[in-house]
Amino acid sequence: MAAYASGFRAELAAGGYAPSSAARHLWLMARMSAWLEAMRLETGTLTAQQVERFLRAHHEHGHWFPRSSRGLVPLLTYLRRIGAVLPEQAAVLSAAEQLLAHFGGYLASERGLRDETIAGYVHAARLFLDAVGYRHGRDLGQLTPGDVRQFLLTQCQCRSVGSAKCVVSGLRAWLRFLHVEGITAMSLSGSVPAVAGWGSTSLPRAIDATSAQALVDSCDRRTGKGRRDVAVLVLMSRLGLRVGEVATLALADIDWCSGQIVVRGKANRIDRLPLPVDVGQALADYVQHGRPNVDHQELFLRVLAPHHALTAAAVKAIVYRACARSGLPALSAHRLRHTVASELLRRGAGLPEIGQLLRHRSLASTAIYAKVDDAALRHLARPWPGAA
């Protein structure tokens, strides 16, 4: 592997690895190279089984870095990328998995859904295929409304209202997809009944401004991780961004000159929002003093190398860790969005203005905040009988 060492060294540097970490990975590369030579194996024929054999021999000689094959991912990824090692053999997908993969691509390209929503819909479709016996030769063209109803009766008996609604939404999308693809002669989505659950029956679960500030104050601004977490929390508690919107932000989305930020929301919707001074200061502090100096377009990156973009799950974890540090119970990241709306309402903003900031497609989505508008509701309240 000596011919690939200089390129791997450059790859580690570009990924943001510290010199000491890069040296350990290069030493590991030399160890594997010597083992391949001793076993009279070529680099290009390296397989997963041979990697495990190398690790066992490596550990028998008293070397415990890495403890598992995960530590070899940087090296193997680089070798596969340059073609020095054959790519991993992909498992042959069954007909059901191929159809589900096609369904996921349809949801992303035609519907513009986010990864988490797509995963939920595909899961519902997989449950349906198993229930109707598709893996055992059932022809989907022969599906009937009775199959749909029987599946939902079985699923909804063991689910909460919210979980059942997710399955129903995924099933409707799946049945429409089958009709669009010509697999079923007619769309069976109309045979999917609604779940007996009423929307807008609960109150928005906002937290007070003091608690929201406590989450921000719990971050250590002296570290790059703390500066990143401050920027994430301020974005969510001041502009009401969703976790997915935070994760997909890019450096080019911030227009420093005009004081605006581009937000890519649901259904591929793109909006421009004003950038408040405190939000801009938090972002600038992170970009200048906390963000790893790597060639990535994403705004928020992992602290440890390799510095990939944060995922939506990682953004949620930032909120959970801030709750633990500040002594608050574990809060959903979406509650910061409710906090923005409730605080604006308290300061006198109207529902249309709140809907514009939260980028709701319908005013009905914003109407739930009317329930917490005490000032407006006080004029509608009838006096208690017998009260002075």
Side-chain angles (χ1 to χ4, degrees):
M1 293 185 182
Y4 312 120
S6 60
F8 186 44
R9 183 183 294 108
E11 179 93 351
L12 293 171
Y17 284 84
S20 58
S21 297
R24 289 213 299 172
H25 282 283
L26 286 166
W27 169 81
L28 182 62
M29 182 184 193
R31 291 281 307 172
M32 177 175 277
S33 179
W35 180 82
L36 287 172
E37 186 174 1
M39 300 299 294
R40 302 191 180 193
L41 296 172
E42 296 291 336
T43 304
T45 61
L46 193 63
T47 64
Q49 292 78 10
Q50 291 170 355
V51 169
E52 292 298 330
R53 286 175 56 196
F54 161 72
L55 278 177
R56 286 196 297 269
H58 189 61
H59 293 162
E60 288 172 359
H61 283 81
H63 303 294
W64 292 100
F65 172 77
R67 291 187 174 274
S68 69
S69 58
R70 290 184 60 185
L72 284 164
V73 168
L75 173 59
L76 296 177
T77 300
Y78 169 71
L79 293 175
R80 290 186 179 116
R81 186 176 64 78
I82 65 174
V85 173
L86 293 176
E88 292 181 290
Q89 296 296 322
V92 179
L93 296 179
S94 64
E97 293 301 324
Q98 291 180 22
L99 186 60
L100 291 171
H102 187 32
F103 176 49
Y106 160 82
L107 294 175
S109 60
E110 300 296 331
R111 298 282 304 278
L113 301 183
R114 291 196 172 274
D115 292 343
E116 291 182 348
T117 306
I118 292 174
Y121 283 14
V122 170
H123 177 65
R126 182 177 286 109
L127 293 176
F128 181 75
L129 288 180
D130 292 339
V132 299
Y134 176 71
R135 299 178 192 273
H136 301 289
R138 175 71 183 275
D139 182 8
L140 293 180
Q142 303 300 319
L143 290 175
T144 65
D147 295 321
V148 176
R149 287 194 295 270
Q150 183 58 45
F151 168 74
L152 287 176
L153 285 174
T154 303
Q155 287 294 319
C156 293
Q157 287 177 352
C158 57
R159 294 179 179 271
S160 65
V161 172
S163 177
K165 286 185 175 182
C166 291
V167 172
V168 164
S169 298
L171 181 60
R172 284 201 185 103
W174 169 247
L175 294 175
R176 293 190 192 103
F177 165 76
L178 294 179
H179 178 56
V180 168
E181 293 296 312
I183 298 174
T184 57
M186 59 180 294
S187 176
L188 294 175
S189 59
S191 62
V192 180
V195 178
W198 289 265
S200 302
T201 56
S202 60
L203 294 175
R205 301 178 63 194
I207 61 176
D208 57 82
T210 303
S211 298
Q213 186 60 43
L215 295 177
V216 177
D217 293 339
S218 69
C219 303
D220 186 357
R221 298 174 184 260
R222 298 169 297 179
T223 66
K225 181 179 180 181
R227 291 187 175 99
R228 182 200 65 187
D229 292 355
V230 166
V232 168
L233 292 170
V234 168
L235 269 174
M236 299 178 70
S237 60
R238 291 282 281 116
L239 295 179
L241 266 63
R242 304 177 180 93
V243 291
E245 295 166 346
V246 173
T248 56
L249 277 177
L251 287 170
D253 291 334
I254 306 175
D255 189 340
W256 300 101
C257 295
S258 63
Q260 293 182 330
I261 184 171
V262 176
V263 179
R264 291 172 171 79
K266 290 183 175 181
N268 295 327
R269 174 173 172 172
I270 299 178
D271 296 278
R272 297 182 71 90
L273 296 180
L275 192 62
V277 174
D278 56 342
V279 179
Q281 289 174 340
L283 291 174
D285 185 39
Y286 167 63
V287 171
Q288 291 178 316
H289 307 295
R291 187 176 181 274
N293 187 20
V294 293
D295 188 18
H296 287 292
Q297 296 304 310
E298 296 84 3
L299 176 59
F300 295 111
L301 305 176
R302 280 168 35 107
V303 175
L304 300 177
H307 301 296
H308 299 314
L310 291 185
T311 62
V315 176
K316 292 179 182 178
I318 289 175
V319 179
Y320 292 143
R321 289 195 297 266
C323 292
R325 289 193 302 266
S326 57
L328 295 173
L331 303 173
S332 166
H334 204 74
R335 291 184 65 175
L336 294 178
R337 188 170 165 86
H338 291 320
T339 301
V340 173
S342 299
E343 183 64 16
L344 287 173
L345 198 62
R346 188 183 66 81
R347 293 174 178 267
L351 292 181
E353 296 171 306
I354 296 173
Q356 288 178 357
L357 177 63
L358 298 184
R359 303 170 309 285
H360 286 156
R361 285 182 288 181
S362 170
L363 190 59
S365 302
T366 318
I368 186 174
Y369 296 106
K371 297 181 179 183
V372 295
D373 189 359
D374 294 336
L377 293 176
R378 191 171 291 113
H379 298 291
L380 303 178
R382 303 295 300 272
W384 187 259

PDB file of all heavy atoms in Angstrom, residues 209-230:
ATOM      1  N   ALA A 209     -39.575  31.987  28.021  1.00  0.00           N
ATOM      2  CA  ALA A 209     -38.369  32.587  27.464  1.00  0.00           C
ATOM      3  C   ALA A 209     -37.158  32.354  28.355  1.00  0.00           C
ATOM      4  O   ALA A 209     -36.029  32.201  27.864  1.00  0.00           O
ATOM      5  CB  ALA A 209     -38.589  34.080  27.241  1.00  0.00           C
ATOM      6  N   THR A 210     -37.360  32.296  29.670  1.00  0.00           N
ATOM      7  CA  THR A 210     -36.242  32.059  30.588  1.00  0.00           C
ATOM      8  C   THR A 210     -35.639  30.677  30.378  1.00  0.00           C
ATOM      9  O   THR A 210     -34.411  30.514  30.364  1.00  0.00           O
ATOM     10  CB  THR A 210     -36.717  32.211  32.041  1.00  0.00           C
ATOM     11  OG1 THR A 210     -37.279  33.516  32.221  1.00  0.00           O
ATOM     12  CG2 THR A 210     -35.568  32.021  33.006  1.00  0.00           C
ATOM     13  N   SER A 211     -36.490  29.673  30.205  1.00  0.00           N
ATOM     14  CA  SER A 211     -35.988  28.317  29.974  1.00  0.00           C
ATOM     15  C   SER A 211     -35.284  28.213  28.630  1.00  0.00           C
ATOM     16  O   SER A 211     -34.256  27.529  28.506  1.00  0.00           O
ATOM     17  CB  SER A 211     -37.146  27.321  30.036  1.00  0.00           C
ATOM     18  OG  SER A 211     -37.765  27.318  31.307  1.00  0.00           O
ATOM     19  N   ALA A 212     -35.826  28.894  27.611  1.00  0.00           N
ATOM     20  CA  ALA A 212     -35.174  28.867  26.301  1.00  0.00           C
ATOM     21  C   ALA A 212     -33.782  29.500  26.368  1.00  0.00           C
ATOM     22  O   ALA A 212     -32.826  28.994  25.769  1.00  0.00           O
ATOM     23  CB  ALA A 212     -36.037  29.601  25.277  1.00  0.00           C
ATOM     24  N   GLN A 213     -33.670  30.575  27.128  1.00  0.00           N
ATOM     25  CA  GLN A 213     -32.356  31.215  27.276  1.00  0.00           C
ATOM     26  C   GLN A 213     -31.420  30.341  28.094  1.00  0.00           C
ATOM     27  O   GLN A 213     -30.207  30.321  27.849  1.00  0.00           O
ATOM     28  CB  GLN A 213     -32.524  32.586  27.943  1.00  0.00           C
ATOM     29  CG  GLN A 213     -31.244  33.411  28.017  1.00  0.00           C
ATOM     30  CD  GLN A 213     -30.667  33.701  26.644  1.00  0.00           C
ATOM     31  OE1 GLN A 213     -31.396  34.032  25.715  1.00  0.00           O
ATOM     32  NE2 GLN A 213     -29.358  33.559  26.512  1.00  0.00           N
ATOM     33  N   ALA A 214     -31.977  29.589  29.062  1.00  0.00           N
ATOM     34  CA  ALA A 214     -31.136  28.689  29.867  1.00  0.00           C
ATOM     35  C   ALA A 214     -30.501  27.611  29.000  1.00  0.00           C
ATOM     36  O   ALA A 214     -29.362  27.197  29.252  1.00  0.00           O
ATOM     37  CB  ALA A 214     -31.967  28.064  30.975  1.00  0.00           C
ATOM     38  N   LEU A 215     -31.228  27.150  27.969  1.00  0.00           N
ATOM     39  CA  LEU A 215     -30.651  26.158  27.058  1.00  0.00           C
ATOM     40  C   LEU A 215     -29.433  26.731  26.344  1.00  0.00           C
ATOM     41  O   LEU A 215     -28.401  26.064  26.207  1.00  0.00           O
ATOM     42  CB  LEU A 215     -31.698  25.715  26.028  1.00  0.00           C
ATOM     43  CG  LEU A 215     -32.925  24.968  26.549  1.00  0.00           C
ATOM     44  CD1 LEU A 215     -33.879  24.665  25.402  1.00  0.00           C
ATOM     45  CD2 LEU A 215     -32.526  23.680  27.240  1.00  0.00           C
ATOM     46  N   VAL A 216     -29.549  27.980  25.897  1.00  0.00           N
ATOM     47  CA  VAL A 216     -28.434  28.619  25.189  1.00  0.00           C
ATOM     48  C   VAL A 216     -27.270  28.867  26.142  1.00  0.00           C
ATOM     49  O   VAL A 216     -26.103  28.620  25.811  1.00  0.00           O
ATOM     50  CB  VAL A 216     -28.907  29.936  24.543  1.00  0.00           C
ATOM     51  CG1 VAL A 216     -27.737  30.657  23.874  1.00  0.00           C
ATOM     52  CG2 VAL A 216     -30.010  29.668  23.529  1.00  0.00           C
ATOM     53  N   ASP A 217     -27.582  29.335  27.347  1.00  0.00           N
ATOM     54  CA  ASP A 217     -26.527  29.666  28.309  1.00  0.00           C
ATOM     55  C   ASP A 217     -25.784  28.431  28.805  1.00  0.00           C
ATOM     56  O   ASP A 217     -24.675  28.549  29.348  1.00  0.00           O
ATOM     57  CB  ASP A 217     -27.126  30.423  29.494  1.00  0.00           C
ATOM     58  CG  ASP A 217     -27.647  31.794  29.102  1.00  0.00           C
ATOM     59  OD1 ASP A 217     -27.214  32.314  28.054  1.00  0.00           O
ATOM     60  OD2 ASP A 217     -28.501  32.339  29.828  1.00  0.00           O
ATOM     61  N   SER A 218     -26.380  27.249  28.653  1.00  0.00           N
ATOM     62  CA  SER A 218     -25.717  26.036  29.144  1.00  0.00           C
ATOM     63  C   SER A 218     -24.547  25.607  28.259  1.00  0.00           C
ATOM     64  O   SER A 218     -23.758  24.754  28.651  1.00  0.00           O
ATOM     65  CB  SER A 218     -26.731  24.892  29.234  1.00  0.00           C
ATOM     66  OG  SER A 218     -27.146  24.474  27.935  1.00  0.00           O
ATOM     67  N   CYS A 219     -24.429  26.190  27.069  1.00  0.00           N
ATOM     68  CA  CYS A 219     -23.363  25.818  26.130  1.00  0.00           C
ATOM     69  C   CYS A 219     -22.062  26.534  26.499  1.00  0.00           C
ATOM     70  O   CYS A 219     -22.080  27.709  26.899  1.00  0.00           O
ATOM     71  CB  CYS A 219     -23.758  26.171  24.700  1.00  0.00           C
ATOM     72  SG  CYS A 219     -25.307  25.407  24.149  1.00  0.00           S
ATOM     73  N   ASP A 220     -20.966  25.853  26.359  1.00  0.00           N
ATOM     74  CA  ASP A 220     -19.648  26.416  26.645  1.00  0.00           C
ATOM     75  C   ASP A 220     -19.147  27.136  25.392  1.00  0.00           C
ATOM     76  O   ASP A 220     -18.666  26.511  24.442  1.00  0.00           O
ATOM     77  CB  ASP A 220     -18.676  25.307  27.042  1.00  0.00           C
ATOM     78  CG  ASP A 220     -17.328  25.840  27.498  1.00  0.00           C
ATOM     79  OD1 ASP A 220     -17.138  27.078  27.458  1.00  0.00           O
ATOM     80  OD2 ASP A 220     -16.466  25.037  27.885  1.00  0.00           O
ATOM     81  N   ARG A 221     -19.240  28.455  25.392  1.00  0.00           N
ATOM     82  CA  ARG A 221     -18.862  29.239  24.216  1.00  0.00           C
ATOM     83  C   ARG A 221     -17.361  29.280  23.993  1.00  0.00           C
ATOM     84  O   ARG A 221     -16.896  29.844  23.000  1.00  0.00           O
ATOM     85  CB  ARG A 221     -19.403  30.671  24.344  1.00  0.00           C
ATOM     86  CG  ARG A 221     -20.932  30.752  24.405  1.00  0.00           C
ATOM     87  CD  ARG A 221     -21.368  32.176  24.690  1.00  0.00           C
ATOM     88  NE  ARG A 221     -22.820  32.290  24.861  1.00  0.00           N
ATOM     89  CZ  ARG A 221     -23.655  32.723  23.920  1.00  0.00           C
ATOM     90  NH1 ARG A 221     -23.177  33.090  22.743  1.00  0.00           N
ATOM     91  NH2 ARG A 221     -24.948  32.803  24.152  1.00  0.00           N
ATOM     92  N   ARG A 222     -16.585  28.715  24.901  1.00  0.00           N
ATOM     93  CA  ARG A 222     -15.130  28.710  24.725  1.00  0.00           C
ATOM     94  C   ARG A 222     -14.668  27.617  23.774  1.00  0.00           C
ATOM     95  O   ARG A 222     -13.512  27.619  23.342  1.00  0.00           O
ATOM     96  CB  ARG A 222     -14.437  28.531  26.081  1.00  0.00           C
ATOM     97  CG  ARG A 222     -14.715  29.665  27.076  1.00  0.00           C
ATOM     98  CD  ARG A 222     -14.221  29.286  28.457  1.00  0.00           C
ATOM     99  NE  ARG A 222     -14.934  28.114  28.973  1.00  0.00           N
ATOM    100  CZ  ARG A 222     -14.691  27.557  30.156  1.00  0.00           C
ATOM    101  NH1 ARG A 222     -13.732  28.061  30.945  1.00  0.00           N
ATOM    102  NH2 ARG A 222     -15.389  26.506  30.559  1.00  0.00           N
ATOM    103  N   THR A 223     -15.544  26.685  23.455  1.00  0.00           N
ATOM    104  CA  THR A 223     -15.185  25.572  22.583  1.00  0.00           C
ATOM    105  C   THR A 223     -15.933  25.660  21.265  1.00  0.00           C
ATOM    106  O   THR A 223     -16.986  26.317  21.164  1.00  0.00           O
ATOM    107  CB  THR A 223     -15.520  24.227  23.259  1.00  0.00           C
ATOM    108  OG1 THR A 223     -16.956  24.122  23.407  1.00  0.00           O
ATOM    109  CG2 THR A 223     -14.869  24.135  24.628  1.00  0.00           C
ATOM    110  N   GLY A 224     -15.389  24.998  20.246  1.00  0.00           N
ATOM    111  CA  GLY A 224     -16.055  24.971  18.956  1.00  0.00           C
ATOM    112  C   GLY A 224     -17.412  24.291  19.027  1.00  0.00           C
ATOM    113  O   GLY A 224     -18.380  24.732  18.401  1.00  0.00           O
ATOM    114  N   LYS A 225     -17.493  23.222  19.808  1.00  0.00           N
ATOM    115  CA  LYS A 225     -18.771  22.527  19.966  1.00  0.00           C
ATOM    116  C   LYS A 225     -19.798  23.422  20.635  1.00  0.00           C
ATOM    117  O   LYS A 225     -20.964  23.454  20.225  1.00  0.00           O
ATOM    118  CB  LYS A 225     -18.559  21.259  20.790  1.00  0.00           C
ATOM    119  CG  LYS A 225     -19.806  20.435  20.996  1.00  0.00           C
ATOM    120  CD  LYS A 225     -19.514  19.179  21.806  1.00  0.00           C
ATOM    121  CE  LYS A 225     -20.771  18.348  22.017  1.00  0.00           C
ATOM    122  NZ  LYS A 225     -20.490  17.139  22.822  1.00  0.00           N
ATOM    123  N   GLY A 226     -19.371  24.181  21.664  1.00  0.00           N
ATOM    124  CA  GLY A 226     -20.296  25.069  22.346  1.00  0.00           C
ATOM    125  C   GLY A 226     -20.793  26.172  21.430  1.00  0.00           C
ATOM    126  O   GLY A 226     -21.984  26.526  21.444  1.00  0.00           O
ATOM    127  N   ARG A 227     -19.897  26.746  20.623  1.00  0.00           N
ATOM    128  CA  ARG A 227     -20.313  27.795  19.687  1.00  0.00           C
ATOM    129  C   ARG A 227     -21.297  27.251  18.658  1.00  0.00           C
ATOM    130  O   ARG A 227     -22.256  27.916  18.277  1.00  0.00           O
ATOM    131  CB  ARG A 227     -19.088  28.386  18.996  1.00  0.00           C
ATOM    132  CG  ARG A 227     -18.177  29.195  19.915  1.00  0.00           C
ATOM    133  CD  ARG A 227     -17.085  29.882  19.109  1.00  0.00           C
ATOM    134  NE  ARG A 227     -16.280  30.742  19.950  1.00  0.00           N
ATOM    135  CZ  ARG A 227     -15.098  30.426  20.458  1.00  0.00           C
ATOM    136  NH1 ARG A 227     -14.586  29.210  20.197  1.00  0.00           N
ATOM    137  NH2 ARG A 227     -14.414  31.263  21.214  1.00  0.00           N
ATOM    138  N   ARG A 228     -21.051  26.019  18.201  1.00  0.00           N
ATOM    139  CA  ARG A 228     -21.979  25.413  17.250  1.00  0.00           C
ATOM    140  C   ARG A 228     -23.346  25.204  17.885  1.00  0.00           C
ATOM    141  O   ARG A 228     -24.387  25.532  17.289  1.00  0.00           O
ATOM    142  CB  ARG A 228     -21.428  24.068  16.783  1.00  0.00           C
ATOM    143  CG  ARG A 228     -22.299  23.359  15.748  1.00  0.00           C
ATOM    144  CD  ARG A 228     -21.986  21.879  15.702  1.00  0.00           C
ATOM    145  NE  ARG A 228     -22.340  21.206  16.949  1.00  0.00           N
ATOM    146  CZ  ARG A 228     -22.041  19.941  17.222  1.00  0.00           C
ATOM    147  NH1 ARG A 228     -21.344  19.221  16.357  1.00  0.00           N
ATOM    148  NH2 ARG A 228     -22.406  19.391  18.369  1.00  0.00           N
ATOM    149  N   ASP A 229     -23.372  24.668  19.099  1.00  0.00           N
ATOM    150  CA  ASP A 229     -24.644  24.404  19.764  1.00  0.00           C
ATOM    151  C   ASP A 229     -25.405  25.694  20.049  1.00  0.00           C
ATOM    152  O   ASP A 229     -26.639  25.734  19.950  1.00  0.00           O
ATOM    153  CB  ASP A 229     -24.406  23.629  21.061  1.00  0.00           C
ATOM    154  CG  ASP A 229     -23.895  22.218  20.805  1.00  0.00           C
ATOM    155  OD1 ASP A 229     -23.816  21.832  19.626  1.00  0.00           O
ATOM    156  OD2 ASP A 229     -23.567  21.517  21.781  1.00  0.00           O
ATOM    157  N   VAL A 230     -24.686  26.767  20.401  1.00  0.00           N
ATOM    158  CA  VAL A 230     -25.345  28.053  20.620  1.00  0.00           C
ATOM    159  C   VAL A 230     -26.027  28.517  19.334  1.00  0.00           C
ATOM    160  O   VAL A 230     -27.188  28.947  19.343  1.00  0.00           O
ATOM    161  CB  VAL A 230     -24.331  29.110  21.096  1.00  0.00           C
ATOM    162  CG1 VAL A 230     -24.917  30.516  20.994  1.00  0.00           C
ATOM    163  CG2 VAL A 230     -23.919  28.846  22.528  1.00  0.00           C
TER     164      VAL A 230
END
